[in-house]
Amino acid sequence: MDDPNQSQNCSEANQPLDAFYVSAFSFIFLFGLVFNILALIFFFRFTKIRSQTTIYMKNLACADLLLVVSLPLRISYYISRQPFALLVCELNGLIFLVNMYGSIFFLTCISLDRCVAICFPMKSRLNELRKRASWISAGVWALVVGASIPPYVLVKIRKSASNDSCNLCFDKSPDYVTNPLTVATTLLVGYGIPLVTIVICSLALLRGVRRSSATRMDLVDWHKIRNMVATNIVIFVICFLPYHTVLLLYTVCGASSRDVLHKAYRLTMAIACCNAMLDPAAYYFTTETFQKSVGIKALKNALTSNTESGELNNRSVSPVNT
């Protein structure tokens, strides 16, 4: 713990939004913990189907659970206003980044996997790539952890050289993520490309399913699939767009707006954390639609050839394996 007198000089007690942060993080912690533990229990114990999409969902639930278990530290801070050790505060911030970008990339992987499975069932190379979901997941973890550390290390070196001894913990300026070069890379690779990918995959999936014979024969509930796609996009936009918008404003606004942006940054962090309890909604729609509503073999055949509809009527509907 830092010296109390120094902490009092570095940060103000009883900030107006403290009660909001305590309530918000407590709510996210409670529901995020319950929902993600239940999701992992379902994936590991009650799901007989081992699929590529399920692998990504397991990793997404783990990323969310990692964030959830880090929230009590933030809750304690906003209740007592006594900063923890600087290293503890910074590691907690890195966990937030790892969760957010892990969630972004795993949601993107899920969308890509579904799109390839349904729209391109006969592309052997793409389907071979789908079978490497475990390796792709490991790559995502390596990417998000590796990409989160360098900006932090550079700022750490710079601040130690300037003898900055003030520990603001969760109230400090987010210098390691608001560097212009970091912001540009983050907006392009960390959010822009995944968002465009999810939108394109979602539109392709909806178009393919809507025009398929399986939909016309009521083997597929198109409305459920539409709700599933809408849920993913809404989660992606509501949780992550405000945060990245604030990052962009850091690079275009002058120093006079820094205080306002710091407050907006902390607010959008709380909003971004909501993905930890909203992602299970995506699991529900995915498993409901693709494991219970349609046989993947029938749907693949319907999408590849509309002339095979007679055979599809004679086939039994089995759980999906996407």
Side-chain angles (χ1 to χ4, degrees):
M1 299 282 293
D2 287 356
D3 180 68
N5 295 326
Q6 178 182 312
S7 300
Q8 185 67 28
N9 293 332
C10 291
S11 63
E12 299 178 8
N14 301 320
Q15 295 288 334
L17 290 175
D18 282 1
F20 167 78
Y21 291 129
V22 171
S23 300
F25 288 132
S26 298
F27 187 81
I28 295 169
F29 171 76
L30 176 62
F31 286 94
L33 185 67
V34 172
F35 290 161
N36 284 288
I37 288 178
L38 289 176
L40 287 173
I41 291 173
F42 173 80
F43 290 141
F44 283 102
R45 301 209 38 195
F46 299 107
T47 302
K48 296 181 180 180
I49 302 166
R50 300 196 174 189
S51 66
Q52 288 74 25
T53 301
T54 303
I55 291 173
Y56 295 130
M57 288 192 288
K58 287 178 182 176
N59 281 274
L60 180 56
C62 289
D64 289 339
L65 200 57
L66 177 65
L67 174 70
V68 165
V69 297
S70 74
L71 292 181
L73 191 70
R74 293 181 182 270
I75 296 169
S76 177
Y77 171 76
Y78 286 114
I79 290 175
S80 65
R81 275 287 166 179
Q82 290 298 319
F84 296 90
L86 182 59
L87 180 61
V88 174
C89 298
E90 291 171 339
L91 288 176
N92 194 282
L94 288 176
I95 288 175
F96 164 76
L97 292 178
V98 168
N99 161 262
M100 180 170 61
Y101 292 107
S103 296
I104 286 174
F105 285 118
F106 284 125
L107 286 170
T108 305
C109 287
I110 291 170
S111 294
L112 273 170
D113 186 76
R114 285 193 302 250
C115 183
V116 171
I118 302 304
C119 298
F120 305 100
M122 305 306 293
K123 298 290 185 179
S124 58
R125 290 185 179 180
L126 291 177
N127 283 283
E128 283 298 319
L129 183 63
R130 289 185 64 231
K131 295 178 182 179
R132 301 181 182 180
S134 297
W135 288 102
I136 293 174
S137 297
V140 169
W141 282 108
L143 174 63
V144 296
V145 172
S148 299
I149 292 176
Y152 159 76
V153 171
L154 291 176
V155 172
K156 185 76 173 174
I157 293 173
R158 187 180 67 190
K159 287 205 169 183
S160 73
S162 63
N163 296 320
D164 184 4
S165 60
C166 186
N167 177 13
L168 296 176
C169 201
F170 300 121
D171 287 324
K172 68 179 181 178
S173 174
D175 295 332
Y176 61 97
V177 294
T178 56
N179 177 279
L181 180 59
T182 303
V183 170
T185 304
T186 297
L187 292 178
L188 177 63
V189 179
Y191 187 72
I193 292 176
L195 177 60
V196 171
T197 302
I198 285 180
V199 171
I200 291 175
C201 289
S202 298
L203 292 176
L205 179 62
L206 289 176
R207 182 174 178 269
V209 173
R210 180 73 170 176
R211 295 184 176 186
S212 70
S213 298
T215 302
R216 291 194 292 271
M217 292 185 298
D218 294 328
L219 291 175
V220 178
D221 189 336
W222 185 83
H223 297 289
K224 283 188 177 181
I225 295 178
R226 182 189 61 186
N227 291 339
M228 175 195 68
V229 169
T231 299
N232 288 344
I233 294 178
V234 167
I235 291 173
F236 204 87
V237 172
I238 288 180
C239 291
F240 305 129
L241 182 59
Y243 175 85
H244 290 89
T245 300
V246 170
L247 290 187
L248 178 62
L249 291 176
Y250 266 101
T251 64
V252 299
C253 295
S256 60
S257 303
R258 290 283 163 164
D259 290 340
V260 175
L261 288 176
H262 291 344
K263 293 178 182 178
Y265 177 82
R266 291 193 291 273
L267 280 172
T268 55
M269 277 189 65
I271 295 172
C273 289
C274 289
N275 83 91
M277 65 177 183
L278 293 178
D279 284 337
Y283 310 150
Y284 169 79
F285 280 113
T286 300
T287 54
E288 273 293 297
T289 301
F290 282 82
Q291 292 185 9
K292 294 182 180 179
S293 298
V294 62
I296 190 63
K297 188 175 182 180
L299 180 56
K300 285 182 177 180
N301 288 335
L303 290 174
T304 53
S305 175
N306 289 336
T307 61
E308 297 178 5
S309 59
E311 294 181 13
L312 289 174
N313 284 323
N314 297 324
R315 294 178 182 174
S316 61
V317 177
S318 59
V320 69
N321 186 21
T322 54

